[in-house]
PDB file of all heavy atoms in Angstrom:
ATOM      1  N   TRP A 261     -34.721  -8.747   5.763  1.00  0.00           N
ATOM      2  CA  TRP A 261     -35.357  -7.855   6.748  1.00  0.00           C
ATOM      3  C   TRP A 261     -36.331  -8.585   7.631  1.00  0.00           C
ATOM      4  O   TRP A 261     -36.516  -8.148   8.769  1.00  0.00           O
ATOM      5  CB  TRP A 261     -36.095  -6.755   5.988  1.00  0.00           C
ATOM      6  CG  TRP A 261     -35.134  -5.805   5.371  1.00  0.00           C
ATOM      7  CD1 TRP A 261     -34.814  -5.710   4.015  1.00  0.00           C
ATOM      8  CD2 TRP A 261     -34.326  -4.855   5.993  1.00  0.00           C
ATOM      9  NE1 TRP A 261     -33.838  -4.791   3.792  1.00  0.00           N
ATOM     10  CE2 TRP A 261     -33.537  -4.210   4.982  1.00  0.00           C
ATOM     11  CE3 TRP A 261     -34.144  -4.464   7.306  1.00  0.00           C
ATOM     12  CZ2 TRP A 261     -32.633  -3.230   5.272  1.00  0.00           C
ATOM     13  CZ3 TRP A 261     -33.228  -3.409   7.621  1.00  0.00           C
ATOM     14  CH2 TRP A 261     -32.539  -2.840   6.607  1.00  0.00           C
ATOM     15  N   THR A 262     -36.976  -9.659   7.203  1.00  0.00           N
ATOM     16  CA  THR A 262     -37.987 -10.245   8.070  1.00  0.00           C
ATOM     17  C   THR A 262     -37.557 -11.414   8.958  1.00  0.00           C
ATOM     18  O   THR A 262     -38.198 -11.757   9.929  1.00  0.00           O
ATOM     19  CB  THR A 262     -39.187 -10.741   7.242  1.00  0.00           C
ATOM     20  OG1 THR A 262     -38.740 -11.778   6.372  1.00  0.00           O
ATOM     21  CG2 THR A 262     -39.782  -9.631   6.391  1.00  0.00           C
ATOM     22  N   THR A 263     -36.403 -12.028   8.625  1.00  0.00           N
ATOM     23  CA  THR A 263     -35.972 -13.149   9.376  1.00  0.00           C
ATOM     24  C   THR A 263     -34.579 -12.954  10.004  1.00  0.00           C
ATOM     25  O   THR A 263     -34.058 -13.835  10.675  1.00  0.00           O
ATOM     26  CB  THR A 263     -35.989 -14.444   8.548  1.00  0.00           C
ATOM     27  OG1 THR A 263     -35.044 -14.261   7.470  1.00  0.00           O
ATOM     28  CG2 THR A 263     -37.351 -14.788   8.081  1.00  0.00           C
ATOM     29  N   ASN A 264     -33.891 -11.843   9.667  1.00  0.00           N
ATOM     30  CA  ASN A 264     -32.538 -11.682  10.210  1.00  0.00           C
ATOM     31  C   ASN A 264     -32.674 -11.128  11.654  1.00  0.00           C
ATOM     32  O   ASN A 264     -33.078 -10.014  11.920  1.00  0.00           O
ATOM     33  CB  ASN A 264     -31.806 -10.630   9.386  1.00  0.00           C
ATOM     34  CG  ASN A 264     -30.426 -10.372   9.897  1.00  0.00           C
ATOM     35  OD1 ASN A 264     -29.973 -10.930  10.905  1.00  0.00           O
ATOM     36  ND2 ASN A 264     -29.642  -9.589   9.168  1.00  0.00           N
ATOM     37  N   PHE A 265     -32.321 -12.015  12.539  1.00  0.00           N
ATOM     38  CA  PHE A 265     -32.550 -11.685  13.956  1.00  0.00           C
ATOM     39  C   PHE A 265     -31.798 -10.461  14.477  1.00  0.00           C
ATOM     40  O   PHE A 265     -32.292  -9.781  15.325  1.00  0.00           O
ATOM     41  CB  PHE A 265     -32.281 -12.924  14.883  1.00  0.00           C
ATOM     42  CG  PHE A 265     -32.520 -12.623  16.313  1.00  0.00           C
ATOM     43  CD1 PHE A 265     -33.752 -12.195  16.738  1.00  0.00           C
ATOM     44  CD2 PHE A 265     -31.485 -12.771  17.227  1.00  0.00           C
ATOM     45  CE1 PHE A 265     -33.993 -11.926  18.075  1.00  0.00           C
ATOM     46  CE2 PHE A 265     -31.727 -12.521  18.538  1.00  0.00           C
ATOM     47  CZ  PHE A 265     -32.966 -12.111  18.975  1.00  0.00           C
ATOM     48  N   ALA A 266     -30.664 -10.235  13.880  1.00  0.00           N
ATOM     49  CA  ALA A 266     -29.907  -9.041  14.318  1.00  0.00           C
ATOM     50  C   ALA A 266     -30.756  -7.798  14.094  1.00  0.00           C
ATOM     51  O   ALA A 266     -30.593  -6.765  14.846  1.00  0.00           O
ATOM     52  CB  ALA A 266     -28.602  -8.918  13.503  1.00  0.00           C
ATOM     53  N   GLU A 267     -31.622  -7.817  13.089  1.00  0.00           N
ATOM     54  CA  GLU A 267     -32.538  -6.660  12.858  1.00  0.00           C
ATOM     55  C   GLU A 267     -33.817  -6.807  13.761  1.00  0.00           C
ATOM     56  O   GLU A 267     -34.172  -5.887  14.443  1.00  0.00           O
ATOM     57  CB  GLU A 267     -32.915  -6.593  11.402  1.00  0.00           C
ATOM     58  CG  GLU A 267     -31.849  -6.212  10.442  1.00  0.00           C
ATOM     59  CD  GLU A 267     -31.353  -4.791  10.657  1.00  0.00           C
ATOM     60  OE1 GLU A 267     -32.113  -3.984  11.205  1.00  0.00           O
ATOM     61  OE2 GLU A 267     -30.258  -4.441  10.204  1.00  0.00           O
ATOM     62  N   VAL A 268     -34.436  -7.987  13.663  1.00  0.00           N
ATOM     63  CA  VAL A 268     -35.735  -8.218  14.377  1.00  0.00           C
ATOM     64  C   VAL A 268     -35.574  -7.990  15.877  1.00  0.00           C
ATOM     65  O   VAL A 268     -36.475  -7.480  16.539  1.00  0.00           O
ATOM     66  CB  VAL A 268     -36.227  -9.668  14.095  1.00  0.00           C
ATOM     67  CG1 VAL A 268     -37.436  -9.978  15.015  1.00  0.00           C
ATOM     68  CG2 VAL A 268     -36.595  -9.809  12.652  1.00  0.00           C
ATOM     69  N   GLN A 269     -34.405  -8.303  16.405  1.00  0.00           N
ATOM     70  CA  GLN A 269     -34.111  -8.137  17.827  1.00  0.00           C
ATOM     71  C   GLN A 269     -34.337  -6.727  18.278  1.00  0.00           C
ATOM     72  O   GLN A 269     -34.813  -6.466  19.415  1.00  0.00           O
ATOM     73  CB  GLN A 269     -32.647  -8.493  18.136  1.00  0.00           C
ATOM     74  CG  GLN A 269     -32.298  -8.539  19.561  1.00  0.00           C
ATOM     75  CD  GLN A 269     -30.835  -8.968  19.819  1.00  0.00           C
ATOM     76  OE1 GLN A 269     -30.021  -8.877  18.920  1.00  0.00           O
ATOM     77  NE2 GLN A 269     -30.500  -9.492  20.972  1.00  0.00           N
ATOM     78  N   ARG A 270     -34.063  -5.715  17.395  1.00  0.00           N
ATOM     79  CA  ARG A 270     -34.290  -4.332  17.779  1.00  0.00           C
ATOM     80  C   ARG A 270     -35.763  -4.077  18.003  1.00  0.00           C
ATOM     81  O   ARG A 270     -36.172  -3.368  18.897  1.00  0.00           O
ATOM     82  CB  ARG A 270     -33.750  -3.382  16.700  1.00  0.00           C
ATOM     83  CG  ARG A 270     -32.278  -3.086  16.947  1.00  0.00           C
ATOM     84  CD  ARG A 270     -31.231  -3.557  16.167  1.00  0.00           C
ATOM     85  NE  ARG A 270     -29.936  -3.529  16.805  1.00  0.00           N
ATOM     86  CZ  ARG A 270     -29.362  -4.574  17.393  1.00  0.00           C
ATOM     87  NH1 ARG A 270     -30.008  -5.713  17.576  1.00  0.00           N
ATOM     88  NH2 ARG A 270     -28.153  -4.562  17.838  1.00  0.00           N
ATOM     89  N   ALA A 271     -36.637  -4.638  17.131  1.00  0.00           N
ATOM     90  CA  ALA A 271     -38.085  -4.437  17.294  1.00  0.00           C
ATOM     91  C   ALA A 271     -38.617  -5.229  18.494  1.00  0.00           C
ATOM     92  O   ALA A 271     -39.495  -4.744  19.168  1.00  0.00           O
ATOM     93  CB  ALA A 271     -38.787  -4.854  16.025  1.00  0.00           C
ATOM     94  N   LEU A 272     -38.017  -6.392  18.791  1.00  0.00           N
ATOM     95  CA  LEU A 272     -38.509  -7.139  19.981  1.00  0.00           C
ATOM     96  C   LEU A 272     -38.177  -6.414  21.288  1.00  0.00           C
ATOM     97  O   LEU A 272     -38.803  -6.741  22.310  1.00  0.00           O
ATOM     98  CB  LEU A 272     -37.788  -8.521  20.042  1.00  0.00           C
ATOM     99  CG  LEU A 272     -38.223  -9.547  18.975  1.00  0.00           C
ATOM    100  CD1 LEU A 272     -37.425 -10.835  19.158  1.00  0.00           C
ATOM    101  CD2 LEU A 272     -39.740  -9.848  19.111  1.00  0.00           C
ATOM    102  N   SER A 273     -37.290  -5.439  21.273  1.00  0.00           N
ATOM    103  CA  SER A 273     -36.940  -4.752  22.496  1.00  0.00           C
ATOM    104  C   SER A 273     -37.844  -3.559  22.675  1.00  0.00           C
ATOM    105  O   SER A 273     -37.734  -2.836  23.695  1.00  0.00           O
ATOM    106  CB  SER A 273     -35.504  -4.358  22.476  1.00  0.00           C
ATOM    107  OG  SER A 273     -35.288  -3.381  21.436  1.00  0.00           O
ATOM    108  N   ALA A 274     -38.796  -3.342  21.785  1.00  0.00           N
ATOM    109  CA  ALA A 274     -39.713  -2.184  21.895  1.00  0.00           C
ATOM    110  C   ALA A 274     -40.679  -2.372  23.126  1.00  0.00           C
ATOM    111  O   ALA A 274     -40.931  -3.539  23.519  1.00  0.00           O
ATOM    112  CB  ALA A 274     -40.540  -2.024  20.624  1.00  0.00           C
ATOM    113  N   ARG A 275     -41.297  -1.300  23.556  1.00  0.00           N
ATOM    114  CA  ARG A 275     -42.041  -1.421  24.845  1.00  0.00           C
ATOM    115  C   ARG A 275     -43.373  -2.040  24.703  1.00  0.00           C
ATOM    116  O   ARG A 275     -43.958  -2.467  25.694  1.00  0.00           O
ATOM    117  CB  ARG A 275     -42.165  -0.012  25.485  1.00  0.00           C
ATOM    118  CG  ARG A 275     -42.959   0.967  24.680  1.00  0.00           C
ATOM    119  CD  ARG A 275     -42.902   2.335  25.323  1.00  0.00           C
ATOM    120  NE  ARG A 275     -43.632   3.322  24.479  1.00  0.00           N
ATOM    121  CZ  ARG A 275     -43.546   4.608  24.693  1.00  0.00           C
ATOM    122  NH1 ARG A 275     -42.812   5.150  25.712  1.00  0.00           N
ATOM    123  NH2 ARG A 275     -44.211   5.498  23.988  1.00  0.00           N
ATOM    124  N   ASN A 276     -44.014  -2.053  23.493  1.00  0.00           N
ATOM    125  CA  ASN A 276     -45.253  -2.763  23.347  1.00  0.00           C
ATOM    126  C   ASN A 276     -45.449  -3.151  21.883  1.00  0.00           C
ATOM    127  O   ASN A 276     -44.592  -2.793  21.037  1.00  0.00           O
ATOM    128  CB  ASN A 276     -46.436  -1.876  23.869  1.00  0.00           C
ATOM    129  CG  ASN A 276     -46.518  -0.609  23.114  1.00  0.00           C
ATOM    130  OD1 ASN A 276     -45.847  -0.316  22.109  1.00  0.00           O
ATOM    131  ND2 ASN A 276     -47.404   0.338  23.527  1.00  0.00           N
ATOM    132  N   MET A 277     -46.549  -3.817  21.576  1.00  0.00           N
ATOM    133  CA  MET A 277     -46.790  -4.274  20.231  1.00  0.00           C
ATOM    134  C   MET A 277     -46.848  -3.147  19.199  1.00  0.00           C
ATOM    135  O   MET A 277     -46.263  -3.225  18.139  1.00  0.00           O
ATOM    136  CB  MET A 277     -48.181  -5.045  20.177  1.00  0.00           C
ATOM    137  CG  MET A 277     -48.560  -5.468  18.773  1.00  0.00           C
ATOM    138  SD  MET A 277     -47.552  -6.851  18.204  1.00  0.00           S
ATOM    139  CE  MET A 277     -48.517  -8.188  18.906  1.00  0.00           C
ATOM    140  N   SER A 278     -47.513  -2.027  19.510  1.00  0.00           N
ATOM    141  CA  SER A 278     -47.585  -0.885  18.567  1.00  0.00           C
ATOM    142  C   SER A 278     -46.177  -0.372  18.294  1.00  0.00           C
ATOM    143  O   SER A 278     -45.793  -0.124  17.101  1.00  0.00           O
ATOM    144  CB  SER A 278     -48.424   0.204  19.247  1.00  0.00           C
ATOM    145  OG  SER A 278     -48.341   1.373  18.415  1.00  0.00           O
ATOM    146  N   ALA A 279     -45.343  -0.191  19.324  1.00  0.00           N
ATOM    147  CA  ALA A 279     -43.983   0.315  19.083  1.00  0.00           C
ATOM    148  C   ALA A 279     -43.118  -0.688  18.345  1.00  0.00           C
ATOM    149  O   ALA A 279     -42.328  -0.368  17.439  1.00  0.00           O
ATOM    150  CB  ALA A 279     -43.293   0.621  20.425  1.00  0.00           C
ATOM    151  N   ALA A 280     -43.362  -2.006  18.596  1.00  0.00           N
ATOM    152  CA  ALA A 280     -42.635  -3.049  17.871  1.00  0.00           C
ATOM    153  C   ALA A 280     -43.006  -2.999  16.375  1.00  0.00           C
ATOM    154  O   ALA A 280     -42.131  -3.182  15.479  1.00  0.00           O
ATOM    155  CB  ALA A 280     -42.952  -4.428  18.447  1.00  0.00           C
TER     156      ALA A 280
END
Side-chain angles (χ1 to χ4, degrees):
W261 290 104
T262 62
T263 59
N264 181 356
F265 179 57
E267 293 291 340
V268 173
Q269 186 178 23
R270 273 110 201 96
L272 286 180
S273 64
R275 64 186 175 190
N276 61 7
M277 175 73 86
S278 171

